Structures are given as C-alpha cells and as structure tokens.
Amino acid sequence: MGLTYNIQFKRKLEQKQELTDLIETHNNTLFFISKLYNSTFGCVNGYFDDELIDLEFEGASYISFNVIKEHAGSILLRKSILEIVHQIANIYPNEDYYLIFNGDYIFEKRENGVVKRNSGTDFYEGLD
C-alpha cells in the first residue's frame, strides 16, 4: 500500500487555473500531486483531538499527494506537504478542508475559516 496524504474538501470545487499551474510547476521529488478529483463517496473518518470525526461528502473534491517511499518519515516531507496544502487552501480561501493520511489520520482541518492542528498526533513534531 502506498503512502498518501489527501486534502479533502467538504464540497465539489471548480478547477481553477491557479491550481492547475501550481500542480504543473510542482518540482518536488518527495511526492506526486494529483489533479482535483470529485469523489463518489467522499468521507472523513478519524480522530481529531480525541474526538471522532465521521463525515460524508458525496461528490466533494480532493487532491492526493502520493509519497515516494524513501521519504516516508522525513521532516522535509511533512514540511513540504503542509506548504503545498496551504498553497492550495489559499487558492480556495473560503473552503473547509481536512488534511488526511492514508484515509485514517486527520492532521489538520479548516472549518469556518479557522485552521486547527490535531494535537493528538506527532505529525508536527520537529516542524516548528
């Protein structure tokens, strides 16, 4: 099984040229970025600050970041993932999102414009 991070939005989004340009100019050997997809059965299911989040977003958009295996645990990878997620989030400034790893772990969320980090994970260790 590959290692995949996703930025999962709560609703279906339109592809913006700024996003297309960001993906096309992405020059990073740590992970690949997918295009903007619309899920058939989008969901978020995992713990965030010891609270179970179990939501379904039929047709909601997401972008995947497929990790090149040799970089799986590096601080540089996590910093790079956060950087690209925040760049994408800035393209869609009014959209709520969840940063998810392998469909199980929620590291970050933006709800009602407020970004929150999951304190129940070591994802941010060594990044600040």
Side-chain angles (χ1 to χ4, degrees):
M1 178 180 188
L3 303 175
T4 305
Y5 291 86
N6 293 300
I7 181 171
Q8 173 72 53
F9 294 96
K10 285 188 169 183
R11 65 186 194 94
K12 182 178 180 178
L13 304 178
E14 287 185 34
Q15 179 77 27
K16 292 185 177 182
Q17 186 61 46
E18 191 177 354
L19 177 63
T20 301
D21 294 345
L22 178 66
I23 291 169
E24 288 177 358
T25 60
H26 176 258
N27 189 13
N28 182 318
T29 60
L30 303 173
F31 55 88
F32 301 106
I33 303 175
S34 76
K35 65 179 186 174
L36 184 68
Y37 288 105
N38 297 316
S39 61
T40 304
F41 302 105
C43 69
V44 173
N45 183 283
Y47 282 91
F48 191 93
D49 288 340
D50 298 325
E51 177 186 340
L52 179 62
I53 295 177
D54 188 14
L55 303 170
E56 291 187 24
F57 308 114
E58 185 175 333
S61 298
Y62 69 95
I63 298 170
S64 295
F65 310 98
N66 299 308
V67 177
I68 298 169
K69 197 172 190 171
E70 64 196 57
H71 302 292
S74 74
I75 290 175
L76 180 59
L77 169 69
R78 291 181 282 142
K79 280 184 179 182
S80 297
I81 291 285
L82 280 176
E83 180 181 295
I84 199 78
V85 163
H86 293 157
Q87 288 174 353
I88 292 168
N90 287 336
I91 294 170
Y92 298 97
N94 298 319
E95 301 300 331
D96 292 344
Y97 71 83
Y98 296 88
L99 172 59
I100 305 166
F101 176 68
N102 276 5
D104 297 324
Y105 302 98
I106 304 168
F107 294 128
E108 183 173 284
K109 66 180 179 177
R110 179 168 71 189
E111 293 180 322
N112 301 317
V114 178
V115 176
K116 295 180 183 176
R117 292 178 168 185
N118 186 347
S119 64
T121 177
D122 62 358
F123 179 80
Y124 296 96
E125 192 172 294
L127 299 184
D128 294 324

